[in-house]
Amino acid sequence: QVQLVESGGGLVQAGGSLRLSCVGSGRTFSRYAMGWFRQAPGKEREFVAAISGSIGITYYADSVKGRFTISRDNARVYLQMNSLKPEDTAVYYCAARPGGADKNMWVYEYWGQGTQVTVSA
């Protein structure tokens, strides 16, 4: 069992930066692949970034490549978000799975409650 808690969301102007953090419980947390997903009002949840649990292979959605960076240590996964745009406004969720990193949200077993990110124009 893995419990996830996100933090770091907030209100920022376009062009600004935020760093999201997700802390995971459990002794085997470092073995889980982690993903960040987001859901804007009226839209489906979508993939943002993912990182494997072993050698840290990363994947990004095209919409955030070059602006967002996912990283992790033994207990947390981070999402550094730079050059934020109003279209990045959403609730951001971290997720974990006991396998390889994946862009498909349906393969993730554990989810946090989400943290709101609002980017003003």
Side-chain angles (χ1 to χ4, degrees), residues 29-108:
F29 173 78
S30 61
R31 300 179 187 175
Y32 285 74
M34 300 298 298
W36 283 98
F37 295 80
R38 66 186 181 186
Q39 187 165 18
K43 295 188 177 181
E44 293 185 353
R45 193 169 297 188
E46 65 176 5
F47 169 75
V48 176
I51 187 167
S52 67
S54 53
I55 57 176
I57 298 173
T58 58
Y59 303 91
Y60 295 94
D62 288 343
S63 59
V64 306
K65 271 181 188 175
R67 300 189 298 122
F68 291 11
T69 303
I70 188 171
S71 61
R72 69 183 300 166
D73 56 30
N74 285 339
R76 294 178 184 266
V77 62
Y78 305 94
L79 187 68
Q80 177 66 44
M81 305 186 295
N82 299 328
S83 302
L84 283 161
K85 305 175 181 179
E87 51 263 44
D88 294 318
T89 295
V91 177
Y92 284 70
Y93 300 89
C94 70
R97 70 183 301 260
D102 202 292
K103 299 180 180 182
N104 182 359
M105 67 176 184
W106 299 107
V107 303
Y108 286 82

Side-chain angles (χ1 to χ4, degrees), residues 6-12 18 20 36 38-41 81 86 88-93 113-119:
E6 304 97 335
S7 62
L11 173 64
V12 64
L18 281 174
L20 305 184
W36 283 98
R38 66 186 181 186
Q39 187 165 18
M81 305 186 295
D88 294 318
T89 295
V91 177
Y92 284 70
Y93 300 89
Q113 293 300 306
T115 185
Q116 176 70 48
V117 171
T118 303
V119 184

Side-chain angles (χ1 to χ4, degrees), residues 1-35:
Q1 187 82 13
V2 175
Q3 293 183 326
L4 304 171
V5 179
E6 304 97 335
S7 62
L11 173 64
V12 64
Q13 288 187 332
S17 298
L18 281 174
R19 189 193 196 202
L20 305 184
S21 177
C22 174
V23 60
S25 64
R27 292 179 297 173
T28 59
F29 173 78
S30 61
R31 300 179 187 175
Y32 285 74
M34 300 298 298

